[in-house]
Amino acid sequence: MTDPHPATWTPIHGRPYRPVPYRPARMAPEESLRRSAELRRQMETRRTVRMFSTDPVPEQVVLDAISVAATAPSGAHQQPWTFVLVSDAEMRQRIRAAAEQEEQISYDGRLGEEWLAALRPLGTDAVKAHLTEAPYLIVVFQQRFQLDDDGSTHKHYYVDESVGIAVGMLLTALHLAGLAALTHTPSPMGFLREVLGRPRNEKAFAVIPVGYPADDCVVPDLRRKSLEQVLVRL
Ligand code: IYR
């Protein structure tokens, strides 16, 4: 009999429904409360960082965070994501040069006045030093469709939602493991597929520099909406 729970990935497209038991031990409410309060406290300290130290970070921490991201739920369990981990300095330099070229056009007017006004409190500009200063870039690609070795294709479903959830989990994992990150979306991002040699079914979703904040790191003075402002209870 074939193993019903293979440890490695196999496509599930068209397979019959064969559920297996899922019976995690139930957590005591007191323990849930302790953990949720602690998690909230920790996550409230997360900030998007644009000024990175060049100090190295343990690679395994980054790999573990990517593993966490890859546990995300996805449309039809198609896991439509690829995480490209870039540490090579020359590659980071190429990405920075291409990103800055596009960003310069954006900040020189392509974004439009309203968008530029929305960005002003964040202090962003076309200089993207974080792309070469952070020791790692995680370039997240969405697999818009499945592309098999023989060139045949299959549709993927809810790709934006699936990859968005995975990136949220990635940012959470990085923060809880003590690393800083930036959700960077150079626009347009078409150059990333080319520079990183990715196949035609993949589309860049975000570039995430990862590292420690620079010693002189500053962040915009922002406030988050309160629970009351984001929650509607019925
Ligand atoms: N992609 C540009 C502009 C930018 C847009 C938004 I919306 C931001 O929250 C931040 C930046 C850049 O990376 O500078």
Side-chain angles (χ1 to χ4, degrees), residues 50 103 107 115 119 122 124-125 128 184-185:
R50 292 188 169 78
E103 293 293 341
Y107 281 90
W115 195 341
L119 292 180
L122 303 180
T124 59
D125 59 27
K128 300 301 177 192
H184 180 44
T185 51

Side-chain angles (χ1 to χ4, degrees), residues 166-189:
V167 167
M169 293 173 66
L170 177 64
L171 298 174
T172 303
L174 290 167
H175 175 68
L176 293 178
L179 299 182
L182 164 65
T183 321
H184 180 44
T185 51
S187 175
M189 286 200 278

Side-chain angles (χ1 to χ4, degrees), residues 6 9-10 31 38 48 57 69 73 115 159 169 171-172 176 205 227:
W9 181 84
T10 51
E31 178 65 5
E38 171 66 6
T48 287
V57 303
W115 195 341
V159 174
M169 293 173 66
L171 298 174
T172 303
L176 293 178
F205 183 80
L227 182 62

